[in-house]
Amino acid sequence: MSDTPRMTADTPPAPAATPPMLELENVAKSFGAVVALRSGSLRLERGSIHALIGENGAGKSTLVKIVAGLYRRDAGDFRLNGESVDFGSTAQSKAAGIAVIYQEPTLFPDLTVTENVFMGRQPVGRFGRIDRKAMRAEVEQLFARLGVGIDPDRPAEGLSIADQQVIEIAKAVSLDARVLIMDEPTAALSGVEVDRLFQIARSLRDEGRALLFISHRFDEVFALCDTVTVMRDGAYIATTPIGETTVDGLVRQMVGRDVTDLFPKLPAEIREPLLEVEGLSSPLFHDISFTVRAGEIVGLAGLVGAGRSEVARAVFGVDAYDEGTVRLGGRAIPKNRPDAAMRAGLALVPEDRRKQGLVLESSVARNVTLAIRETIAKAGLITSGMENRAAKEWASRLEVKTNALSTVAGTLSGGNQQKVVLGKWLATEPRVLIIDEPTRGIDIGTKSEVHRLLSELAGRGMGILMISSELPEVLGMADRVLVMREGRITAEIDRDDATSENVMFAATHAQGAHQ
Amino acid sequence: MTATTTAAAAIARSYRDYDRPLWQRVLLTREMAIIALVVLVSVVAAATVRGFGQPITVTYLLLDVMPILLIALPMTLVMITGEIDLSVASIVGLSSVLTGVLTAGGLPFEVAAVVALVAGAVCGAVNGFLVTVVGLPSLAVTIGTLALFRGLAVGLLGTTAITDFPDFWTDLAKARVGGSNVPVVLFVFLVLLVVFIVLLHFTPFGRGIYAIGLSKAAARFSGVHVERTKFVLFVLAGTISALAGVFYTLRFGSARGDNATGLELQVIAAVVLGGVSVFGGRGAIHGVIAGVLLIGVLSSALRLANVTSDVINIITGALLVLSVVATSFLAWLRKRRKAPGGTPRIEASTAG
Amino acid sequence: MTATIEKTAVTKRLHAIGAVREFGILLALALVVLAATVANPNFLFSADGWRDLLLTPSILVLVAIGQAIVIITRNVDLSVGSILGLSAYLTGRLFIDLQGIPIVAVFVIAVVFGGLLGLVNGALVAFAKVPAMVITLGTLYAYRGINVLWTGSDRINASDLPKDFLALGTGQILWIPILTIIAVVVLAVTGWIMKNTRGGREFYAIGSDPAAAELYGLRVTRRLLIAFVVSGALAGLAGVLYAARYGTINSQAGSGWELDAVGAAVIGGVAITGGVGSVWGAAIGAWLLLTINRALPILGIPDFWQRAVVGALIIGAIVLDRVLAVRQRRKLLEAREDDR
């Protein structure tokens, strides 16, 4: 991707005498023993679009949440227009002219688009009567300015993520927010939607606002932004004008070491096919076919929203699908039956650890044994003793760091939570493991532990389907890479041929035949 | 479990099973607080209220709270999954009326009672169907079926009452074991109690119930049949309510459409008082039993002390509010102690 | 991009559905009245029939309005029946203990009293963050208990109350019962507020997504307090009118009304999950509920069956709402596909 066209139209603004619009210096934040942000720094200038990039767990979200007033910093400086600020709530941050557009905006589904834009600050006339005409006129004006054609009278329910983001932006503009922060806004958008968003972003910049754009996609960073700041392991690494850097340079800053050393997949004998998926279709994905063989790690790459997790969920039976078959070891698995999939030897470590993987308020022991509760029961009965025995075995095999098995899972660090989820599913002794974002939000040390474990499991003959948004992880671990784009598998690349360029190309570009 | 990381196992860490000693885990619980309160109230009542200490009081107390005790068992399970069933008292009324109408119509009492139980199961299935298949909130559904089932009961019998039941059965409902003061029906309850304790606390099904209440998504991803489990629990609640209805009929020798009106609120109050969270996922049977008994003991003692019997309403209500507010307050205190920054540690791993 | 954005076809249809929901319940009411009138013309075409048609639901309409506001915020108030009972008894006591007290003063005192009881509910819900269902179940008991303790086996009879006051309960102005006028005025005011003011819209926002309401910086606590205070105050007002209408008040006045009020709101299209519905719908729901009760005997159905019909109606209403919601979501998704 080093040949990505540099599309920076404007030169970054010259350092002015006036202080930057927003400035963070050595900001830190910990949660108990977990350090989420060691030393975050950032300078946002007026009339510029600034990219913030870094791997998952680099501390970007924490930084944003401090700016948004959701968290209070433990240390460091936070200045707005040169004046030190400290937000205790989102309302304070908003009042100071900061607006955050999240990846998945929160709107009121039952209310109209217009009401959503103005909730809590509607224009009122006599007797406190809301001036609906004025409100609608302003929304029309806003939408015209942003160049979007959303019906202002429809309820927010059912709007696409892109449209919801536009409404959030309209809200920010009508509030006259000077700083707009977009947290991975393009993750779930289609190409056309991304173009529209970028147009809006540029026009906002030209009005003199400061925009912070958080993204994983280098092509977008180079296409849109003026300056880029890289973070790694909770700390600031560097800020560079976009014209003075390259994709390779940014990757080096993000990873901090040579990519290939990080993820050793030991060679394993690849044997008979285990998981065979054929022609799987649903409204979210189309005609998905692939095979996972014993001893093999298959990487499933693609952008967030390409339909990878949806496929995994359908294969495991958590979601229904319309057409197609799933077979394991030659035997068909009925659709929409996670229990049947489990019995057949399939396991799914889901994407959202805290919501889908764990019962957060339950103990480590209960979590580890939840999926095997029926197999460890004797004569249909189960006791805490049985659970503790099984849990102890898996906790020690995976070296979960906790004192007692009765510890509530939600209090563990992200890495240890992931180990508990892994233990829970390895305890079912699966033949095929589907693992969705195996290392999202966990520390570097645990990360390599997880990778070593996956490699060992494959070495013992397990088939592994690994969904990952981190290219180095996919390239380092997978024997074969499948790439998905907009609900379809667009490429299948062998380990030896896979490069970040061809994987990324398949993930972002429709194949020649289509366009 | 052979195929995994033996290397890791070699340097096995040691894990304690629990982070608190046994006595703390047993004694410092909400359930124990309620049990202690029951004991305290009983002792005080026995010492100060004339007649409370008499064995006959215990008999009547147990007979009086028996319907609540019975229905509280399945209600506990339903509420731990995060649902609620407001229609139980109406099912009591309907099964009572069905038993009466069928017996009066010439069927043997035993057959009539079985039909009533089946009808209770069907009522529960209707609730379960609307909640799990149609996907409606259980609060709204069971407010509707509360009126519907009660309406069917009243409609079938009007304001009349059927009082002609076999003496054998009506006597049995009030009978005591041998010369003691232990009512025979207590054994029916004890059998069910054991069944429900085992079901909730010692089976994979019970583990699933808690998982559903705490996180529906995680339960589903772990192979728990969320909808099926809830459906079964609603059917159980209907059946046990019908059983309570048959007992109610025999105990008072009367089948009426308005039998047990308002009982659903007493059952729910007792269950919540016993430590079951309305958000689901928390609670235990022994606490619930203590909750029912607390209300029973208080009302019995106050009645004997010649306080208006309905004063118990204030106490039930106040206890209910106090118990939930206290829980919130304690949780808030604990949170503040653990995280002086004001942000609970549990949020740590969302940051990234 | 044109200067004005037209309403899309889908939006128009959705607005139609929303209107249809309330219109449908009104139509059902009309059908019930029509059927009963055909069976017995006196149901509508007699002085008493006309009066009862308007008068009977008036008190429940007030309680249902308060309930609707609370439910729209994704809460529920089960204590309204007990508040109504306490307020009714308080009304009687005021007339007995303070001979010659102005009727207006009694109204004010009872409404404030009801509002205070509602404030207790609201404070417990908003500050202790305990589900309203549990809190109001507790205060249902507690308030009724206080009522029983206060009333004992005492009873207030019509002879204890001033004639002028009782006249309110049955009196009419131009063929319209005074109680109905009060109910309609309250309905119009609350309906206007819920539709046209910031505060009113915030009730909907909070019920639609409580987490988003916090993020928007809405004053959620204050809104919840207001919702419960309004519900309590309206139950208090209903208590005074109850005393005026029936004259006899014992310790059980208003018991069971909470379920009628919730039922009326649900029948009228107020979603138990919050954010959807209107006080108009709830009021029509209350009207339909009590009119059916009166119509059944005339239609040859013993009135013992009325509760069954009410139950069937509630379930029918929520199933219908569910079907409509699913269809709406599909329509909105289709509209989104069309845009592409």
Side-chain angles (χ1 to χ4, degrees):
Chain A
M1 217 156 51
S2 48
D3 56 351
T4 307
R6 310 271 158 70
M7 289 172 38
T8 45
D10 310 81
T11 48
T18 50
M21 197 148 232
L22 181 146
E23 191 174 20
L24 293 165
E25 243 178 305
N26 303 322
V27 172
K29 177 76 191 168
S30 307
F31 300 92
V34 184
V35 180
L37 188 60
R38 280 192 295 130
S39 164
S41 298
L42 187 70
R43 281 169 67 100
L44 290 191
E45 305 287 350
R46 296 178 175 70
S48 83
I49 304 178
H50 195 117
L52 180 60
I53 61 173
E55 286 189 293
N56 289 311
K60 297 170 302 196
S61 304
T62 311
L63 194 85
V64 168
K65 282 174 182 165
I66 288 170
V67 174
L70 278 165
Y71 295 159
R72 264 207 156 101
R73 64 186 189 276
D74 298 337
D77 295 324
F78 178 6
R79 284 184 294 271
L80 211 58
N81 291 317
E83 284 181 33
S84 183
V85 287
D86 184 19
F87 299 137
S89 70
T90 51
Q92 288 176 16
S93 157
K94 206 179 285 178
I98 296 171
V100 183
I101 287 102
Y102 294 100
Q103 193 178 336
E104 278 175 24
T106 43
L107 299 177
F108 302 109
D110 301 310
L111 304 185
T112 65
V113 167
T114 309
E115 286 204 278
N116 266 289
V117 173
F118 285 101
M119 181 50 68
R121 49 187 191 87
Q122 300 95 333
V124 290
R126 263 153 56 95
F127 309 115
R129 183 198 177 111
I130 293 172
D131 190 344
R132 283 175 196 275
K133 269 194 190 140
M135 207 157 83
R136 210 191 121 107
E138 198 177 332
V139 166
E140 278 177 14
Q141 211 183 357
L142 271 173
F143 283 1
R145 198 162 131 203
L146 298 175
V148 289
I150 305 169
D151 180 353
D153 296 319
R154 63 162 285 159
E157 174 162 1
L159 280 174
S160 68
I161 299 273
D163 286 346
Q164 293 183 43
Q165 283 173 349
V166 168
I167 292 170
E168 292 279 359
I169 292 173
K171 213 163 74 187
V173 172
S174 82
L175 269 167
D176 200 28
R178 308 308 297 165
V179 178
L180 271 92
I181 299 172
M182 297 194 263
D183 193 355
E184 295 197 44
T186 57
L189 304 197
S190 69
V192 186
E193 292 167 336
V194 171
D195 290 344
R196 184 182 70 177
L197 182 72
F198 282 9
Q199 263 172 25
I200 294 173
R202 289 195 188 98
S203 72
L204 293 176
R205 173 193 60 193
D206 297 342
E207 290 170 10
R209 299 173 211 268
L211 282 84
L212 182 66
F213 179 77
I214 298 171
S215 180
H216 275 128
R217 304 183 186 177
F218 292 117
D219 53 344
E220 294 177 358
V221 168
F222 280 97
L224 180 68
C225 302
D226 309 315
T227 321
V228 54
T229 293
V230 179
M231 287 183 71
R232 184 175 76 225
D233 301 342
Y236 167 86
I237 300 296
T239 297
T240 331
I242 205 79
E244 296 169 20
T245 185
T246 61
V247 171
D248 289 341
L250 291 180
V251 168
R252 222 171 295 122
Q253 288 176 339
M254 279 169 64
V255 180
R257 58 189 77 88
D258 207 352
V259 177
T260 43
D261 295 346
L262 242 184
F263 310 106
K265 157 78 162 80
L266 305 170
E269 185 197 351
I270 295 176
R271 303 199 304 262
E272 77 283 2
L274 284 178
L275 178 68
E276 294 163 289
V277 174
E278 245 181 68
L280 217 58
S281 291
S282 90
L284 300 167
F285 48 81
H286 316 281
D287 196 23
I288 302 293
S289 302
F290 62 87
T291 307
V292 178
R293 288 181 277 265
E296 183 180 39
I297 296 182
V298 177
L300 186 51
L303 301 178
V304 174
R308 299 167 304 165
S309 300
E310 287 76 5
V311 168
R313 293 165 55 129
V315 168
F316 189 63
V318 177
D319 292 344
Y321 51 86
D322 299 331
E323 282 169 52
T325 53
V326 177
R327 280 197 303 273
L328 203 149
R331 293 240 304 273
I333 300 178
K335 67 167 84 164
N336 219 358
R337 286 281 305 278
D339 59 315
M342 274 167 58
R343 267 194 299 278
L346 193 59
L348 169 65
V349 174
E351 177 188 22
D352 188 339
R353 185 161 57 231
R354 298 169 57 82
K355 286 210 181 98
Q356 302 163 342
L358 290 172
V359 180
L360 276 187
E361 293 173 70
S362 209
S363 68
V364 169
R366 285 272 173 104
N367 270 294
V368 171
T369 55
L370 184 58
I372 51 165
R373 66 195 186 288
E374 270 160 12
T375 39
I376 60 170
K378 292 200 177 78
L381 299 181
I382 188 169
T383 64
S384 299
M386 298 177 192
E387 287 173 321
N388 287 339
R389 264 195 302 283
K392 200 171 287 182
E393 182 184 339
W394 288 99
S396 56
R397 282 195 193 182
L398 293 170
E399 300 182 64
V400 177
K401 292 189 188 66
T402 177
N403 290 325
L405 297 172
S406 67
T407 306
V408 175
T411 59
L412 299 178
S413 73
N416 274 305
Q417 286 183 358
Q418 186 70 332
K419 285 181 177 177
V420 171
V421 182
L422 270 166
K424 164 181 165 181
W425 285 109
L426 294 181
T428 66
E429 300 178 57
R431 297 164 71 193
V432 174
L433 175 71
I434 305 177
I435 184 161
D436 197 347
E437 301 291 359
T439 58
R440 174 179 286 179
I442 65 182
D443 57 286
I444 294 282
T446 314
K447 223 173 190 173
S448 54
E449 270 183 73
V450 169
H451 290 139
R452 198 188 62 216
L453 176 70
L454 291 179
S455 175
E456 270 184 40
L457 290 170
R460 285 163 207 278
M462 195 182 283
I464 296 176
L465 178 67
M466 183 184 78
I467 299 172
S468 175
S469 297
E470 294 183 37
L471 265 184
E473 183 168 85
V474 173
L475 298 176
M477 292 297 295
D479 294 301
R480 199 149 49 89
V481 182
L482 302 172
V483 187
M484 276 188 78
R485 181 183 161 273
E486 290 184 7
R488 293 175 194 278
I489 294 184
T490 50
E492 179 169 353
I493 309 169
D494 271 341
R495 180 183 185 84
D496 299 335
D497 304 330
T499 62
S500 45
E501 285 80 11
N502 60 14
V503 171
M504 201 39 109
F505 186 84
T508 50
H509 293 72
Q511 272 165 342
H514 294 298
Q515 289 181 358
Chain B
M1 298 185 194
T2 47
T4 30
T5 55
T6 42
I11 45 159
R13 297 169 63 96
S14 66
Y15 295 94
R16 280 183 288 131
D17 286 350
Y18 302 99
D19 50 6
R20 295 189 303 168
L22 181 69
W23 68 269
Q24 279 191 2
R25 275 183 288 126
V26 173
L27 293 182
L28 299 185
T29 61
R30 191 195 157 104
E31 284 77 19
M32 272 300 156
I34 298 289
I35 291 172
L37 204 54
V38 172
V39 173
L40 185 75
V41 170
S42 306
V43 170
V44 170
T48 59
V49 179
R50 266 191 55 195
F52 185 80
Q54 287 176 359
I56 188 72
T57 310
V58 178
T59 311
Y60 277 106
L61 195 160
L62 284 175
L63 286 175
D64 285 347
V65 297
M66 190 52 66
I68 304 181
L69 274 178
L70 286 170
I71 302 172
L73 294 174
M75 183 69 89
T76 303
L77 274 57
V78 168
M79 289 182 70
I80 289 176
T81 65
E83 303 289 344
I84 198 161
D85 187 350
L86 293 175
S87 71
V88 285
S90 297
I91 298 176
V92 170
L94 183 57
S95 72
S96 170
V97 165
L98 273 178
T99 316
V101 168
L102 293 175
T103 312
L107 275 183
F109 170 80
E110 293 77 7
V111 177
V114 170
V115 172
L117 289 185
V118 172
V122 171
C123 289
V126 169
N127 286 333
F129 174 82
L130 289 170
V131 172
T132 61
V133 181
V134 186
L136 301 171
S138 55
L139 182 63
V141 165
T142 56
I143 281 179
T145 53
L146 179 155
L148 178 64
F149 299 152
R150 177 66 69 189
L152 292 176
V154 176
L156 279 172
L157 205 49
T159 50
T160 52
I162 290 168
T163 52
D164 193 18
F165 294 102
D167 289 343
F168 169 75
W169 286 103
T170 50
D171 290 346
L172 189 67
K174 284 171 279 191
R176 290 172 247 164
V177 180
S180 75
N181 288 292
V182 181
V184 171
V185 283
L186 186 63
F187 290 97
V188 178
F189 168 71
L190 287 178
V191 169
L192 282 171
L193 177 65
V194 170
V195 168
F196 273 92
I197 286 180
V198 169
L199 189 64
L200 179 61
H201 297 295
F202 298 101
T203 64
F205 183 78
R207 295 294 192 263
I209 291 175
Y210 281 102
I212 291 171
L214 289 173
S215 169
K216 212 173 130 183
R220 181 148 173 70
F221 273 85
S222 307
V224 176
H225 297 279
V226 175
E227 309 306 333
R228 192 201 287 175
T229 303
K230 286 183 180 174
F231 185 84
V232 167
L233 294 183
F234 276 106
V235 172
L236 267 179
T239 315
I240 302 282
S241 300
L243 180 69
V246 173
F247 166 76
Y248 202 101
T249 312
L250 293 174
R251 154 111 155 95
F252 297 104
S254 158
R256 294 172 51 93
D258 60 356
N259 269 355
T261 303
L263 193 75
E264 69 278 350
L265 297 185
Q266 291 183 47
V267 173
I268 290 165
V271 170
V272 172
L273 192 57
V276 174
S277 161
V278 256
F279 296 117
R282 282 174 209 293
I285 299 264
H286 61 287
V288 170
I289 302 305
V292 178
L293 290 179
L294 182 60
I295 293 178
V297 167
L298 273 173
S299 63
S300 165
L302 289 171
R303 210 162 25 235
L304 284 168
N306 275 331
V307 183
T308 330
S309 65
D310 287 298
V311 165
I312 192 61
N313 279 342
I314 306 183
I315 293 166
T316 310
L319 274 177
L320 186 60
V321 170
L322 267 182
S323 66
V324 286
V325 171
T327 317
S328 301
F329 183 69
L330 287 178
W332 178 76
L333 267 188
R334 213 171 302 137
K335 208 165 92 178
R336 274 185 64 100
R337 255 211 333 256
K338 266 197 182 146
T343 315
R345 265 187 62 184
I346 205 157
E347 283 178 19
S349 45
T350 50
Chain C
M1 179 95 313
T2 49
T4 54
I5 301 167
E6 289 298 314
K7 281 192 184 191
T8 60
V10 180
T11 309
K12 280 182 193 153
R13 201 153 56 220
L14 285 176
H15 280 274
I17 288 180
V20 159
R21 185 63 181 76
E22 276 142 31
F23 183 72
I25 201 90
L26 200 59
L27 192 71
L29 177 64
L31 283 177
V32 169
V33 173
L34 185 71
T37 308
V38 169
N40 180 356
N42 283 339
F43 187 80
L44 187 58
F45 299 114
S46 70
D48 276 358
W50 170 249
R51 196 195 66 177
D52 283 348
L53 181 66
L54 297 180
L55 187 54
T56 312
S58 299
I59 301 177
L60 183 61
V61 163
L62 289 173
V63 182
I65 290 170
Q67 189 69 255
I69 296 174
V70 172
I71 295 180
I72 283 169
T73 66
R74 206 183 271 190
N75 283 287
V76 68
D77 186 352
L78 295 180
S79 71
V80 285
S82 300
I83 295 180
L84 189 153
L86 263 178
S87 157
Y89 188 72
L90 174 74
T91 304
R93 286 257 56 105
L94 285 173
F95 282 123
I96 294 171
D97 297 341
L98 303 169
Q99 290 288 339
I101 185 173
I103 291 175
V104 178
V106 172
F107 268 88
V108 171
I109 292 171
V111 168
V112 170
F113 175 70
L116 284 177
L117 294 180
L119 183 64
V120 173
N121 289 332
L124 287 169
V125 171
F127 294 117
K129 309 261 183 238
V130 180
M133 159 99 207
V134 179
I135 288 294
T136 57
L137 178 61
T139 52
L140 176 156
Y141 278 118
Y143 294 165
R144 180 65 64 192
I146 292 169
N147 197 349
V148 169
L149 203 62
W150 190 14
T151 319
S153 52
D154 184 26
R155 189 164 116 161
I156 286 168
N157 294 306
S159 56
D160 299 329
L161 301 172
K163 292 246 162 2
D164 292 349
F165 179 68
L166 289 171
L168 274 180
T170 45
Q172 303 186 11
I173 298 173
L174 294 175
W175 309 288
I176 300 175
I178 296 168
L179 256 54
T180 309
I181 294 174
I182 295 176
V184 169
V185 168
V186 170
L187 177 61
V189 171
T190 49
W192 190 86
I193 291 174
M194 291 297 282
K195 188 165 186 281
N196 290 317
T197 66
R198 280 188 191 176
R201 301 316 297 170
E202 284 177 17
F203 288 127
Y204 284 91
I206 291 166
S208 189
D209 190 337
E214 296 277 358
L215 265 183
Y216 268 65
L218 303 185
R219 281 174 291 197
V220 176
T221 306
R222 179 198 281 201
R223 289 285 153 233
L224 290 185
L225 286 179
I226 292 176
F228 278 98
V229 167
V230 168
S231 174
L234 286 178
L237 177 61
V240 186
L241 301 182
Y242 183 98
R245 167 102 168 88
Y246 299 104
T248 334
I249 308 142
N250 63 15
S251 64
Q252 294 306 312
S255 76
W257 278 51
E258 59 280 348
L259 293 178
D260 279 347
V262 175
V266 168
I267 290 173
V270 177
I272 205 95
T273 45
V276 178
S278 72
V279 291
W280 289 96
I284 303 171
W287 198 0
L288 176 63
L289 220 149
L290 294 188
T291 304
I292 283 187
N293 283 356
R294 287 180 44 250
L296 286 180
I298 293 169
L299 296 172
I301 304 166
D303 57 358
F304 305 126
W305 290 99
Q306 56 179 245
R307 286 212 73 78
V309 173
V310 168
L313 212 57
I314 294 175
I315 292 170
I318 51 177
V319 171
L320 175 71
D321 283 341
R322 172 83 185 163
V323 171
L324 289 179
V326 169
R327 273 183 45 189
Q328 160 167 352
R329 193 167 310 146
R330 218 180 39 224
K331 289 263 163 57
L332 288 171
L333 281 174
E334 279 169 11
R336 175 173 144 192
E337 295 301 319
D338 292 347
D339 291 346
R340 293 248 166 111

